[in-house]
Amino acid sequence: STPVIFTLLSLVINNTLVYFHVRTVFKTADMSASDRSFRQKIHKREVATQGLFYVGTFFFCFWSAIAVRVMEAVSVTELDESNIYWMLVIMSATLPLQGFLNVFVYTRPNYH
């Protein structure tokens, strides 16, 4: 359970740090032209959106696996797995989707 929590926290923290770094770089850049300022705002928004897609895809694919692991750690035994069958089905469907959805996330800037 600790590695999962560490992974989730580091994912959110790292993507937040990337966004703030990009924002800082744009703030320190020469702001002489209003067109440049407008383009920088667009780039900041694109960085934030792309980071949100990375994190959102990860959470979408792993929320059920995390929930199952927490339930197993707290109270669910092998005999109780029939009670969480629907959760196991969702986990089996969403975990393999991560690679498929990541293709869309990684190629999104090329098409956007």
Side-chain angles (χ1 to χ4, degrees):
S1 176
T2 303
V4 172
I5 293 170
F6 176 75
T7 301
L8 295 176
L9 287 175
S10 65
L11 177 70
V12 171
I13 290 169
N14 287 334
N15 277 292
T16 303
L17 290 174
V18 166
Y19 172 74
F20 284 126
H21 175 73
V22 169
R23 194 173 88 177
T24 303
V25 167
F26 282 142
K27 279 185 178 181
T28 58
D30 182 26
M31 301 290 269
S32 60
S34 64
D35 184 46
R36 173 175 267 167
S37 176
F38 178 71
R39 282 186 288 156
Q40 287 175 347
K41 287 180 184 179
I42 291 173
H43 288 304
K44 280 194 296 188
R45 190 176 315 128
E46 288 174 359
V47 168
T49 304
Q50 192 68 16
L52 183 65
F53 279 129
Y54 288 138
V55 174
T57 300
F58 179 82
F59 280 123
F60 174 76
C61 293
F62 279 92
W63 74 266
S64 58
I66 293 167
V68 167
R69 297 298 169 234
V70 168
M71 283 188 266
E72 287 176 346
V74 173
S75 64
V76 176
T77 64
E78 288 182 21
L79 299 174
D80 297 329
E81 283 186 355
S82 62
N83 296 335
I84 62 164
Y85 177 76
W86 61 274
M87 196 67 142
L88 295 172
V89 169
I90 292 172
M91 182 179 77
S92 298
T94 57
L95 283 178
L97 276 178
Q98 184 183 14
F100 181 73
L101 295 176
N102 276 341
V103 168
F104 292 115
V105 171
Y106 288 121
T107 59
R108 181 186 169 274
N110 295 332
Y111 297 109
H112 189 269

